[in-house]
Amino acid sequence: MRKIICTALWIFSFSLLSQAQKTAPKGFDIEQKLMSTGKIDSIIYPSKTVGVSRKALIYTPPGYDIQKRYPVLYLLHGIGGDEREWLRHGNPQVILDNLYGEGKIEPMVVVMPNGRAMKDDRSGGNVMAPDRVAAFSTFEKDLINDLIPYIEQQFSVVRDREHRAIFGLSMGGGQALNFGLGHIDTFAWVGGFSSAPNTKMPQELLPVPKEAKEKLKLLWISCGDQDGLLHISKRTHEYLLAHEVPHIYYLEPGGHDFNVWKNDLYQIAQLLFKVVK
Ligand code: FER
């Protein structure tokens, strides 16, 4: 009997695993005829950190109702982008609308900020200039002290760690891991897509693995198998593995581009804010 149960469990976990490893189905990022869709708005919030008002985009889910309270995903862009990068290249509203249409995700608000926290935060030009790269780490303060309080005052959202997620691509992946693991008291759902060299070295990223082990709901590390930055995700994964910190390491076909990041959004959106234990 015990053997049968073990075998069944093994088959069950294997099928879950192969399910998780599939990439998004054809059409996942193409607008379908749906009964109801979410809405993208532009917001402006005062930033004490930068000393100016800053822009962000916000996606509210289909049927957003101020009588309810929603969890929030902070979704960050890469080094060449700004608050519109996901919208410009990633169709996040289409990916999410389609998933809602199929009943596959929990309703959530998605905030897409500008992660280059400096007065002139436009993209373009020499995005590798040291002051502009440094502005991606200044964003930690802007996010924690200015943007999150603004969102939580202006929108109908739940104000606790279990209802906040932080994910991003490349530079934004590094930010999501650095800030998310640096503020486990603020975020329970953390992940980096194709994280860039701004990702802290593992020992500095997570010096005390115990807290992450106990408190994180999801820690996600993904990267395209052809991406030149793969070593960064790999070293993070290896450290987490060595310290027995539960996480998902999702290696997918592809390079450093939106084909990979759209698939990542499709995958993580289905995991977020669900009861997993
Ligand atoms: C680097 C290589 C890539 C780097 C940043 C990136 C700051 C970011 C890439 C992206 O966001 O797409 O050496 O240093």
Side-chain angles (χ1 to χ4, degrees):
M1 185 62 188
R2 197 155 157 240
K3 196 169 168 212
I4 295 172
I5 294 171
C6 285
T7 313
L9 270 179
W10 187 81
I11 292 169
F12 180 65
S13 28
F14 184 75
S15 69
L16 270 185
L17 195 68
S18 48
Q19 194 69 26
Q21 286 181 344
K22 270 187 201 152
T23 50
K26 216 166 170 268
F28 79 107
D29 57 345
I30 294 170
E31 221 173 300
Q32 318 279 340
K33 281 208 172 64
L34 295 168
M35 297 281 283
S36 152
T37 60
K39 192 162 153 276
I40 299 260
D41 285 304
S42 191
I43 58 156
I44 294 179
Y45 64 99
S47 167
K48 285 201 194 79
T49 304
V50 184
V52 292
S53 289
R54 309 198 66 229
K55 287 184 195 157
L57 291 189
I58 183 149
Y59 168 90
T60 44
Y64 174 71
D65 173 0
I66 56 163
Q67 302 300 322
K68 296 181 182 154
R69 288 192 179 272
Y70 298 85
V72 188
L73 163 62
Y74 292 85
L75 185 63
L76 312 179
H77 61 82
I79 199 160
D82 57 21
E83 74 280 2
R84 304 192 76 85
E85 183 180 45
W86 269 99
L87 186 64
R88 212 175 277 131
H89 303 291
N91 279 358
Q93 78 292 16
V94 176
I95 295 172
L96 297 171
D97 286 347
N98 290 343
L99 284 168
Y100 285 116
E102 292 184 74
K104 287 187 170 164
I105 57 177
E106 287 295 309
M108 66 185 92
V109 164
V110 182
V111 180
M112 289 166 273
N114 182 318
R116 191 182 294 100
M118 63 197 293
K119 287 200 167 75
D120 180 359
D121 62 6
R122 286 174 297 179
S123 55
N126 177 16
V127 293
M128 290 282 189
D131 60 330
R132 303 182 78 196
V133 170
F136 277 82
S137 54
T138 308
F139 182 64
E140 179 170 4
K141 263 192 160 172
D142 180 81
L143 173 69
I144 302 287
N145 299 335
D146 304 314
L147 179 58
I148 292 179
Y150 179 86
I151 294 296
E152 297 189 350
Q153 200 179 54
Q154 298 291 323
F155 291 87
S156 202
V157 298
V158 193
R159 304 181 184 119
D160 65 28
R161 58 180 299 281
E162 299 201 349
H163 296 87
R164 294 190 201 103
I166 184 162
F167 284 72
L169 71 89
S170 201
M171 266 319 250
Q175 287 177 311
L177 295 177
N178 294 347
F179 309 163
L181 297 178
H183 297 270
I184 291 179
D185 52 338
T186 303
F187 303 100
W189 310 78
V190 176
F193 311 155
S194 320
S195 300
N198 64 326
T199 311
K200 291 178 181 172
M201 289 304 283
Q203 198 61 253
E204 195 196 344
L205 186 62
L206 197 60
V208 188
K210 190 169 176 280
E211 201 191 359
K213 253 189 227 184
E214 287 169 2
K215 293 176 83 179
L216 286 182
K217 294 279 183 189
L218 173 65
L219 177 50
W220 168 277
I221 310 287
S222 61
C223 198
D225 57 3
Q226 304 300 311
D227 191 327
L229 297 181
L230 176 58
H231 62 283
I232 293 160
S233 294
K234 195 163 172 277
R235 79 176 181 215
T236 312
H237 156 64
E238 280 164 2
Y239 177 87
L240 295 172
L241 197 61
H243 291 82
E244 297 178 343
V245 180
H247 66 287
I248 294 180
Y249 180 53
Y250 179 69
L251 195 60
E252 61 206 288
H256 197 74
D257 59 46
F258 264 96
N259 293 323
V260 164
W261 304 324
K262 286 196 290 188
N263 177 51
D264 292 330
L265 177 61
Y266 176 86
Q267 304 292 344
I268 62 110
Q270 295 176 73
L271 301 174
L272 289 183
F273 310 121
K274 292 184 176 170
V275 178
V276 288
K277 55 180 174 187

